[in-house]
Amino acid sequence: MIYFSDVDVVLKLARCGFLPLLPELLGVAPDEVCIRYLASLRSRLSRPTKKLTNADHQRHLAEFCRAHAVIDGAADLTRQEELLASGMDVGEAILFAEAEATGGVVVTGDKRALLAYARVSTKSQRSKLRVVCWEQLLLRMHALRGYATLRQGCCGALGEDGLLSLAFSSGLATEEGHAIAAIESYLRGVEQHSGDILAALPP
């Protein structure tokens, strides 16, 4: 199984300090996980204005890029062009087209890409891939590491993500029930248009 990670979700995980735990969140052993990411993510490493403010998180990002491989383009260019025409950006079109071709899993934090995919994918095409979304990863972190770890990481990235700002609106004083309810609400929104392709993560 190949996991195709978009730039958005990798950066969100990195800013929260969760990126080293991605294999665990996906339910895959670190030495068995196969991840492909877009070249635009690696290019950020050498751009001072794009570096993460937390040095440890920047190091996690560099280690992620070294450990995994870049995907430059989809094998099926016709399908990639169809996805581009739907409103996806180039990177997302590559990831979804290649996931369809390989039976892979797209790991994404981009709801607009999921909505665009819903507009231009048939039942047959959708059956070829699975998706893990940002909300699923947050709930998985909660299940595996507990609320204190989830809250600490998310509160370190409040200005970077609308869901986190809402879910942890009181910062470190945010009550667990409020945060989890907000994340679950966002996930239900994703399920309305993409429930048929969401991957079933381990309990």
Side-chain angles (χ1 to χ4, degrees):
M1 183 73 69
I2 303 174
Y3 294 88
F4 298 94
S5 295
D6 73 8
V7 173
D8 184 60
V9 78
V10 172
L11 291 177
K12 286 178 179 179
L13 288 166
R15 289 176 179 129
C16 292
F18 300 157
L19 188 55
L21 301 176
L22 181 55
E24 182 180 352
L25 298 178
L26 295 172
V28 184
D31 59 346
E32 295 178 356
V33 70
C34 181
I35 297 175
R36 298 289 181 267
Y37 63 90
L38 296 166
S40 57
L41 177 66
R42 188 172 59 186
S43 70
R44 298 177 64 98
L45 295 176
S46 58
R47 296 166 64 185
T49 59
K50 296 294 185 179
K51 287 187 175 181
L52 304 183
T53 55
N54 184 300
D56 286 335
H57 297 171
Q58 179 69 18
R59 177 173 52 80
H60 295 161
L61 186 59
E63 290 171 349
F64 176 90
C65 290
R66 283 196 298 269
H68 305 294
V70 169
I71 176 172
D72 292 316
D76 188 341
L77 294 179
T78 300
R79 181 56 174 152
Q80 181 181 325
E81 290 299 321
E82 289 175 353
L83 293 170
L84 273 171
S86 75
M88 283 189 182
D89 65 29
V90 175
E92 296 288 354
I94 290 171
L95 297 180
F96 276 84
E98 195 64 6
E100 282 183 358
T102 61
V105 179
V106 178
V107 185
T108 181
D110 191 339
K111 293 184 183 63
R112 289 174 298 179
L114 290 173
L115 286 167
Y117 186 68
R119 289 193 297 269
V120 73
S121 56
T122 65
K123 183 176 180 180
S124 175
Q125 288 165 333
R126 295 172 75 80
S127 70
K128 296 176 181 178
L129 56 69
R130 285 292 175 265
V131 167
V132 173
C133 68
W134 173 229
E135 292 80 3
Q136 286 177 292
L137 294 174
L138 292 175
L139 293 174
R140 178 96 166 124
M141 175 62 71
H142 177 247
L144 290 173
R145 297 299 180 100
Y147 180 64
T149 299
L150 176 70
R151 178 183 58 194
Q152 187 69 37
C154 290
C155 286
L158 289 183
E160 307 295 340
D161 180 65
L163 167 56
L164 297 186
S165 296
L166 176 65
F168 296 90
S169 54
S170 297
L172 292 173
T174 302
E175 294 185 0
E176 182 174 6
H178 170 85
I180 300 305
I183 297 169
E184 289 176 339
S185 176
Y186 267 60
L187 178 58
R188 287 193 295 271
V190 174
E191 289 172 340
Q192 289 178 5
H193 51 77
S194 300
D196 61 316
I197 59 174
L198 288 182
L201 295 180

